Amino acid sequence: MSAITRDEVAHLARLSRLALGEEELDHLAGQLDDIISAVARVREVAADDIPPSSHALPLVNVFRADGIRPCLSREDALSQAPATEGDRFKVPRILDEEA
Amino acid sequence: MSSDLTRKSAAQLGELIASGETSAVEVAQAHLDRIAAVDPEIKAFLHVNADGALEQARAVDARRAAGEELGPLAGVPIAHKDVFTTRDQPTTCGSRILEGWRPPYDATVTARLRAAGLVILGKTNMDEFAMGSSTENSAYGVTHNPWDPSRVPGGSSGGSSAAVAAYMAPLSTGTDTGGSIRQPAAVTGIVGTKPTYGGSSRYGVVAFASSLDSPGPFGRTVLDTALLHEAFAGHDPMDATSIDAPVPPVVEAARRADVDGLRVGVVREFGGEGYQAGVEQRFRETVELLESLGAKVTEVSCPHFAYALPAYYLIAPSEVSSNLARFDAMRYGLRLGDDGTRSAEEVMSLTREAGFGAEVKRRIMLGTFALSSGYYDAYYGQAQKVRTLINRDFDAAFEQVDVLVSPTTPTTAFPIGERADDPMAMYLADLCTIPSDLSGNAAISVPCGLSPEDGLPVGFQIMAPPLADDRLYRVGAAVEAAFTDRWGGPLLDTAPELGGAR
């Protein structure tokens, strides 16, 4: 039995905002199935009472002084934009037709 | 003189420049000449910063002439992994999606290299967004191993390892998330360190897996690597996970180079099936060498290390799926299909489809899967529990021993193309390096000889508890000194000549 179906892989691609082609989807579906079957080995470990670790070392909250310091200039921030208009980033329309 | 300079260690170059026997400009020019001669064959660099490097070198010479007291690496050239942002050079991360990107700020590591007077020769090739073990996932072509150009230089920091192994730079930078410094160091016969997580700043390092990413140094000698480690490590207020503690005394440890009485644990689980015979042989010889130098060697079991690889390939991709969501074609980077009719979401999906390579897409989708409702507990949640168990294995081991050792990677450099479209085979290259990333401790790879069956370098991995990075250098330097003595010179002296004149 496969760990993941082609339809599920197509759904993951949509969630991931990747416009995969059909052939690429076929290829990736097989590879993801292999990888998921392999990584599923973590489920063999009896760990019901083990707390999860989300990080390498214990995290502490970090504060800094609430002082004023320079930030990127508008020119720097816009300098690498794919498109600009005036002093702003120019983006494609953000709502779909039917919205 | 010029060709000799590329053969010197960073420590020697720093001294020669400080004493005025040579200049930073002369040293930079020698390395630029070497790059021009051999990089067409090796392809370590994505960008060579010739004018900028000479300018930086002139500035160091001027400061010296003005009587300024400069650090030990002032004027020494370095190759910089293309994952670190640099204001004056493009930063692509090996990806089409960032082709030509000029970051508006310097990474903390970049800023510290500049402050130390290091001369940045250029940016090095890497697997796209540091995902891979061979540099074959770079959108800009593969880097070749100087020992055998038909083989990979390791990865993801393969441009940085190849540049140092081919004498194009005495030092380079890398990042290690699953082994991306230690594995390329091992397969090119050089030294590479993954510092304690949080011991070096991630600010300005394009994020791969934020709970794992550790910037670190490469060098041809243990002392050089320690000098670079000391130059850019240490607390950074710009990184919330940066450790507010002094940098461990790594340079002093590299100079001390003694293991008398040190307790060394051999990880039982890292050997046997899947390990190349010559790798195991050189590893065993190195353990015997440590014993002869006065170390107390025992075998230690870390039973959950067997689950480190699967846990990693759930945790790292999960962080990838979140971190790489920033590449949305809006404020910087590639944008495709914006013809006035398509929505932002369509443009985003088309751009990401064309801008990311196969491995990056695999990992984004794998992470999206592991984090999705219905699968989260069984995959990501369970992987996080395994991470706890691996931490406990390390804790128990470090109660018995001062350092753990293993081969760095199960095989020597594999042929280009062999694993390129076989992700599971590629992932095995990081089998022995992943546990230290998951636990955030410190680890190094040092050369321990050539594998008899193929004549390619083998790496010896040393692991130490968090913030005990100095132990890596003590042991690494002791191994290096004893082997250099036994071999009659450094291992790299036996590497084949490259096309360029020396």
Side-chain angles (χ1 to χ4, degrees), chain B residues 342-405:
Chain B
R342 292 195 177 95
S343 69
E345 193 168 317
E346 289 171 309
V347 168
M348 199 184 296
S349 299
L350 287 169
T351 302
R352 289 163 62 84
E353 164 62 13
F356 289 141
E359 179 63 13
V360 171
K361 290 180 201 173
R362 274 194 288 269
R363 294 206 198 183
I364 289 173
M365 291 172 65
L366 184 59
T368 305
F369 168 81
L371 294 176
S372 52
S373 93
Y375 297 109
Y376 182 96
D377 288 341
Y379 289 94
Y380 184 67
Q382 181 73 6
Q384 287 186 306
K385 291 178 174 184
V386 169
R387 193 171 186 180
T388 304
L389 291 168
I390 290 163
N391 287 340
R392 290 181 182 177
D393 279 0
F394 270 121
D395 289 346
F398 287 132
E399 274 174 25
Q400 303 167 55
V401 296
D402 300 306
V403 294
L404 289 168
V405 296

Side-chain angles (χ1 to χ4, degrees), chain B residues 157-206:
Chain B
S157 314
S160 282
S161 64
V164 168
Y167 299 94
M168 291 187 272
L171 298 170
S172 62
T173 58
T175 50
D176 194 310
T177 304
S180 281
I181 291 174
R182 290 162 285 160
Q183 183 260 4
V187 301
T188 56
I190 65 170
V191 182
T193 305
K194 182 204 103 64
T196 297
Y197 176 85
S200 53
S201 170
R202 290 183 298 108
Y203 179 71
V205 176
V206 180

Side-chain angles (χ1 to χ4, degrees), chain A residues 3-4 8-10 12-21 24-25 27-28 31-32 34-57 59-60 62 69 72 76-83 89-97, chain B residues 87 100-102 104 196-197 210-211 238 240-241 243 304 306-307 310-311 313-314 329-333 335 338 341-350 352-353 356 361-362 364-366 368-369 375 378-379 382 384-389 391-392 421 423-424 427 438-440 466:
Chain A
I4 188 164
E8 284 175 302
V9 174
L12 288 177
R14 279 193 297 277
L15 290 175
S16 307
R17 305 291 185 270
L18 292 166
L20 296 186
E24 197 181 10
L25 194 58
H27 192 58
L28 270 172
Q31 289 181 332
L32 283 175
D34 288 347
I35 297 169
I36 292 167
S37 303
V39 297
R41 282 191 59 219
V42 294
R43 298 162 73 176
E44 294 167 7
V45 182
D48 284 349
D49 53 346
I50 303 297
S53 296
S54 64
H55 226 264
L57 299 168
L59 285 180
V60 286
V62 178
R69 56 180 177 181
L72 285 185
D76 276 348
L78 290 172
S79 68
Q80 300 298 308
F89 293 101
K90 186 180 177 187
V91 301
R93 67 188 162 78
I94 55 166
L95 296 175
D96 273 324
E97 228 65 90
Chain B
R87 266 199 84 109
W101 182 48
R102 293 266 176 172
T196 297
Y197 176 85
S210 304
S211 82
M238 298 299 281
T241 57
I243 298 170
H304 297 97
Y307 297 95
Y313 277 100
L314 288 161
M330 298 300 135
R331 288 159 300 163
Y332 61 102
R335 180 188 291 178
D338 185 13
T341 70
R342 292 195 177 95
S343 69
E345 193 168 317
E346 289 171 309
V347 168
M348 199 184 296
S349 299
L350 287 169
R352 289 163 62 84
E353 164 62 13
F356 289 141
K361 290 180 201 173
R362 274 194 288 269
I364 289 173
M365 291 172 65
L366 184 59
T368 305
F369 168 81
Y375 297 109
Y379 289 94
Q382 181 73 6
Q384 287 186 306
K385 291 178 174 184
V386 169
R387 193 171 186 180
T388 304
L389 291 168
N391 287 340
R392 290 181 182 177
D421 197 39
M424 286 311 302
Y427 297 170
L438 289 173
S439 281

